[in-house]
Amino acid sequence: MHIKHPKCRSRIITLPGVREGCEQFGMLEFAGKLGIRLQAFYQWQRDGAVPLRRVRQIEAITGVPASRIRPDHFGDAKTVRAALGRGLAA
């Protein structure tokens, strides 16, 4: 029996960097490249952000800049201040 590798479901996984990685490699292969389980993508989506410890790794694999993946930490000063005001950056 052949199991198809799930591609990114754009309505489900919308986080910048994660979406591109899933589209480039498929969800299972991308998770493997990151050394995580597939369920982590759904947890990150529920949390609304990629964990900071994964940002540079995703950037290296996908080419998506860290400032797009987590603008609240890697964006310009104005973006970071706005995120702090909304309670997104810790």
Side-chain angles (χ1 to χ4, degrees):
M1 178 165 89
H2 177 69
I3 299 173
K4 283 184 85 173
H5 292 271
K7 289 288 185 183
C8 185
R9 297 177 181 106
S10 60
R11 289 174 287 160
I12 298 171
I13 304 297
T14 60
L15 296 171
V18 177
R19 182 182 60 244
E20 288 84 352
C22 290
E23 289 171 352
Q24 288 174 25
F25 304 106
M27 291 180 81
L28 290 174
E29 185 178 344
F30 187 45
K33 289 178 177 290
L34 293 170
I36 62 172
R37 293 177 182 221
L38 188 63
Q39 293 86 347
F41 293 139
Y42 298 105
Q43 180 65 48
W44 299 351
Q45 188 67 40
R46 278 191 305 271
D47 293 346
V50 172
L52 289 174
R53 69 180 183 276
R54 298 290 181 181
V55 172
R56 294 295 185 192
Q57 188 181 17
I58 291 171
E59 180 182 48
I61 293 169
T62 65
V64 175
S67 61
R68 272 198 55 227
I69 299 169
R70 286 295 302 263
D72 56 328
H73 285 271
F74 297 96
D76 61 26
K78 183 179 177 183
T79 304
V80 173
R81 278 194 307 275
L84 285 169
R86 291 189 310 269
L88 297 177

